[in-house]
Amino acid sequence: MPLPTVILPGYLEGATAYIPLEKSLQALGFPTVTVPLRKRDWLPTVGGRSMMPILRILDRTVKQTLKQHNACQINLIGHSAGGWISRIYIGEKPYTIHGDEIESDQVWGAHSYVATLITLGTPHVSLERWTKRNLDFVKVNYPGAFYPYIRYVCVAGKSIFGARKKGSWLAFNSYQITCGNGETWGDGITPIEVAHLDNAENLTIEGVRHSPKSPGLWYGSPEILPLWTKYLV
């Protein structure tokens, strides 16, 4: 029996956008639930603030899922910012960089619950002023595929080359503020070079765009799923 799987949505996105992916994974035999976020749940995090509101809901969902399936571990899928937020959740270092909670409330230590972490279009590094503080915390405390007993799978999309021209401006600007180079390949939001981690199983998929609302294929499209769901256990 496959392990239950939990999906953590990307920044400012609600769970509804991931229902098709959730159903597709269930059809493939993976018991799956999406963290029940609403768009307004992200509002306290805007401007580079603490991700504690999201971490609390993620923790509650993981523990409910473990209990429901009488399981000891899960697969965790993080889309976009959901990937690096998942790395904070897995870790055991106090997440006290924002000074909003006492130290004992900032340690999740969920690494023992997670068999596989799959990140989809996650910027694991960023130069952008509002996300840099959080991402630097992850990079410094949990570099690369940090826990050797967790299988890290980092999926990047290669669909849009950033350029200063019509149709590529958004990609160019997003890549520029993320990695310092707008003229590179990525999924339209996240450049390939920051979507991978040292010592992880790193995949780059042609033609994949960033968001479930993007036109064409995205990471959760049925045609794309076989390329990364084979890593689920």
Side-chain angles (χ1 to χ4, degrees):
M1 181 71 178
L3 291 179
T5 295
V6 174
I7 302 169
L8 180 59
Y11 193 58
L12 298 179
E13 191 58 84
T16 303
Y18 297 83
I19 297 305
L21 172 57
E22 179 183 308
K23 291 183 176 179
S24 293
L25 291 173
Q26 290 171 348
L28 291 172
F30 300 102
T32 305
V33 63
T34 303
V35 178
L37 293 172
R38 301 158 298 179
K39 290 186 178 182
R40 64 177 178 267
D41 291 325
W42 293 97
L43 293 179
T45 74
V46 170
R49 287 179 284 179
S50 173
M51 291 293 159
M52 284 294 290
I54 306 304
L55 287 160
R56 290 191 185 101
I57 302 172
L58 170 60
D59 183 58
R60 185 164 63 243
T61 304
V62 168
K63 288 177 178 175
Q64 288 173 346
T65 301
L66 290 169
K67 183 177 181 181
Q68 178 183 348
H69 294 278
N70 194 27
C72 296
Q73 289 187 304
I74 60 159
N75 299 306
L76 183 55
I77 299 171
H79 172 238
S80 195
W84 58 259
I85 296 169
S86 294
R87 292 171 66 203
I88 294 175
Y89 177 63
I90 287 170
E92 55 196 305
K93 301 287 179 67
Y95 176 55
T96 54
I97 58 173
H98 299 281
D100 57 344
E101 294 286 342
I102 61 173
E103 184 170 302
S104 61
D105 290 335
Q106 297 264 24
V107 181
W108 302 98
H111 50 90
S112 63
Y113 302 150
V114 179
T116 300
L117 171 64
I118 297 183
T119 65
L120 306 175
T122 293
H124 291 291
V125 178
S126 180
L127 302 176
E128 199 272 322
R129 61 178 297 196
W130 300 117
T131 56
K132 189 175 186 300
R133 190 178 186 187
N134 279 313
L135 281 168
D136 282 355
F137 172 83
V138 182
K139 180 178 68 173
V140 170
N141 289 289
Y142 314 111
F146 185 75
Y147 291 100
Y149 41 85
I150 294 176
R151 189 175 199 178
Y152 291 76
V153 182
C154 300
V155 188
K158 184 180 180 182
S159 57
I160 301 177
F161 186 84
R164 291 186 177 95
K165 63 179 183 180
K166 186 178 180 180
S168 301
W169 264 110
L170 174 61
F172 177 89
N173 289 330
S174 183
Y175 303 162
Q176 180 76 28
I177 63 175
T178 302
C179 71
N181 177 21
E183 296 181 328
T184 188
W185 281 99
D187 62 13
I189 298 294
T190 302
I192 293 170
E193 62 197 81
V194 302
H196 291 160
L197 285 174
D198 289 343
N199 300 316
E201 297 180 70
N202 294 313
L203 311 178
T204 299
I205 305 178
E206 296 278 348
V208 167
R209 296 197 175 196
H210 185 77
S211 168
K213 297 177 181 177
S214 299
L217 299 175
W218 86 288
Y219 297 99
S221 295
E223 304 94 318
I224 303 301
L225 290 184
L227 300 177
W228 58 265
T229 55
K230 61 186 177 183
Y231 295 97
L232 295 173
V233 293

